[in-house]
Amino acid sequence: MKKPLLFKLMTIGVLILLLLIPVGMIGNSIDERQRYSEQVVQEIAKNSSYSQTLTGPVLVVPYIKTERYAHLNENKERIMEERQVKGELYFLPELLRVDSDMSTEMRKLGIYGAHLYHTKNKIDGKFSIPENFGLGDAIVDYQLQPAYVALGISDIRGIDNSLTLQWNQASFNAEPGSQLSLLGNGVHVKLANIDAGKNYTFSLPLQLKGTSQFNLVPLGKETHVSMRSDWPHPSFIGNYLPIEHSIHQTGFTARWQTSYFSTNMAEQFFRCVSNRECNSFEQSQFGVNLIDPINHYVKSDRAIKYALLFIALTFAGFFLFEILKRLQVHPIQYALVGLALAFFYLLLISLSEHMGFSLAYIISASACIGLIGFYVSYVLQNIVRALGFTSALALLYGLLYGLLSAEDYALLMGSILLFFVLGAFMTLTRKVDWYNLNNPGKAVSQS
């Protein structure tokens, strides 16, 4: 006497829920390995240099200002006194150009690695000093001190060359520290006296290494940035996208262009200096993130999200054989096949840590398909049936790989797949008399 259909369906449902336990454990293992990989990346960056952000240059002119104020003395007489106040004048570049040539390398720590980059940057442009330094007649109250140029570099450990600033026809060596708190870490270059109402050109070669990201803050009234790299998978980030870019197998090129009109950078800078309102200034940057599109942890995590679908479709295939071929598949046989499907993900993550994701996927899928194919040849009691079932399973694994590779079209492909699976199930069971499923003679209609 066969078990009732409802009981069998409930048993299959419970098995699917129980199989989610090992699948969940494997998913937690993937998350744990991914977190450890990210920690290793941070450890490599800690021992080398972190992501880099260039801010500047900024021309700074310190001053001592004489202020006069009135107050009453002990005799209630109004007298004038003077005091000295220190401050700084800031001038942003009239023109700022950054030409960057980037090369990348893989730095390993055990089986994990991080992408480091080396950039050769030529930073040049022009400063325009206004008449009377923009102070008008009040300049008589100012004692201007020797000026300096400040450049913010977020991680100065990444500087790979001695820095010499070409200032008009003169050369000046850079010293550690930006001397400007809002720029953070960096360097500064002490200059000789500068004159009001003049233009000064500057040029600074900078070799800089970092990890993952390279960003710039466009401080120029006009800022032009060009970049070339051998990394073929850039992600352009920040508030301003490139006006031109080209991505190919051997790398990418990109070009940015901004102005005060598009960035409002001058107002943001001086608001940060005077009022310490620096959020908008600190966020006004752009750059590139060297992403890894073949990150096997991300792909493995995406793959395991389809585990429930895989198990359900495989069990549905078994159930079709039970209905159409009048076979009995024991719940333990369902469970063993389900465990083999779950172990695919464990094989995938463990192998992909030592080889490419694609090769790991092929080996893991082939192993699971072979094991399940061998087993179901006995469960289904027919080699032809087993080959058909195994071929369908291989097709599912192929479709899953397509889903993982085409992230933008994953939803569309998944929806089409489920629609065709439902259509196939409805077609194959269109003549089944579900009320008489337990009656061998009447289960399948002959009409």
Side-chain angles (χ1 to χ4, degrees), residues 178-196:
S178 69
Q179 304 294 304
L180 201 55
S181 60
L182 65 90
L183 298 186
N185 295 323
V187 297
H188 71 283
V189 181
K190 295 179 180 178
L191 304 174
N193 291 330
I194 61 174
D195 299 322

Side-chain angles (χ1 to χ4, degrees), residues 34 49 73 77 79 109 125 177 199 207 233 238 291 294 312 371 380-381 412 417:
Q34 184 171 10
S49 54
N73 62 12
E77 297 174 338
I79 61 175
L109 184 60
N199 293 329
Q207 296 180 22
H233 308 291
I291 63 173
I294 56 173
L371 176 62
L380 302 181
Q381 303 172 11
L412 176 61
L417 170 62

Side-chain angles (χ1 to χ4, degrees), residues 256-283:
W256 292 262
Q257 180 175 330
T258 63
S259 68
Y260 280 177
F261 298 105
S262 61
T263 64
N264 198 28
M265 185 56 68
E267 181 179 346
Q268 294 180 31
F269 177 85
F270 288 107
R271 187 186 301 131
C272 180
V273 170
S274 57
N275 302 327
R276 298 300 173 186
E277 299 176 6
C278 298
N279 287 338
S280 58
F281 172 73
E282 292 171 351
Q283 295 173 4

Side-chain angles (χ1 to χ4, degrees), residues 5-235:
L5 175 63
L6 181 60
F7 181 76
K8 189 57 174 285
L9 290 173
M10 291 177 61
T11 302
I12 294 174
V14 171
L15 282 173
I16 291 175
L17 293 177
L18 290 175
L19 285 169
L20 291 180
I21 296 175
V23 169
M25 295 173 64
I26 296 171
N28 291 335
S29 178
I30 293 174
D31 293 339
E32 181 181 350
R33 304 292 285 185
Q34 184 171 10
R35 286 193 297 270
Y36 185 69
S37 174
E38 292 169 353
Q39 291 173 6
V40 169
V41 171
Q42 291 301 310
E43 185 67 23
I44 293 174
K46 180 180 178 182
N47 296 328
S48 177
S49 54
Y50 293 102
S51 299
Q52 295 286 9
T53 300
L54 293 182
T55 309
V58 178
L59 177 60
V60 185
V61 182
Y63 63 78
I64 300 175
K65 180 182 180 183
T66 301
E67 292 185 346
R68 298 173 181 82
Y69 63 98
H71 74 98
L72 299 178
N73 62 12
E74 295 178 354
N75 299 323
K76 305 299 182 183
E77 297 174 338
R78 187 173 181 271
I79 61 175
M80 300 294 295
E81 290 194 359
E82 295 182 351
R83 60 185 174 190
Q84 306 293 318
V85 178
K86 294 183 177 181
E88 294 172 324
L89 301 175
Y90 305 98
F91 301 96
L92 302 183
E94 186 79 10
L95 173 65
L96 173 61
R97 289 188 296 255
V98 179
D99 186 76
S100 181
D101 199 345
M102 176 186 292
S103 61
T104 58
E105 66 167 311
M106 172 64 77
R107 188 72 58 85
K108 285 283 189 177
L109 184 60
I111 63 173
Y112 303 98
H115 295 289
L116 273 63
Y117 59 79
H118 300 265
T119 60
K120 295 181 179 179
N121 307 282
K122 180 184 178 184
I123 304 171
D124 66 350
K126 179 180 69 174
F127 284 98
S128 294
I129 312 301
E131 294 292 338
N132 293 332
F133 292 93
L135 300 173
D137 295 336
I139 194 172
V140 296
D141 296 325
Y142 287 77
Q143 302 176 40
L144 301 181
Q145 308 299 308
Y148 64 90
V149 172
L151 175 65
I153 302 173
S154 57
D155 191 345
I156 57 175
R157 297 176 305 158
I159 300 175
D160 277 342
N161 65 313
S162 58
L163 302 180
T164 300
L165 176 71
Q166 191 73 25
W167 184 259
N168 275 359
Q169 304 302 317
S171 297
F172 301 92
N173 293 325
E175 299 179 18
S178 69
Q179 304 294 304
L180 201 55
S181 60
L182 65 90
L183 298 186
N185 295 323
V187 297
H188 71 283
V189 181
K190 295 179 180 178
L191 304 174
N193 291 330
I194 61 174
D195 299 322
K198 288 187 63 176
N199 293 329
Y200 291 90
T201 61
F202 66 91
S203 177
L204 178 69
L206 171 63
Q207 296 180 22
L208 192 65
K209 65 183 178 183
T211 305
S212 300
Q213 291 187 17
F214 182 53
N215 300 300
L216 301 102
V217 178
L219 282 184
K221 186 173 184 179
E222 287 188 22
T223 300
H224 302 266
V225 176
S226 59
M227 186 180 297
R228 297 167 300 282
S229 175
D230 59 3
W231 186 252
H233 308 291
S235 173

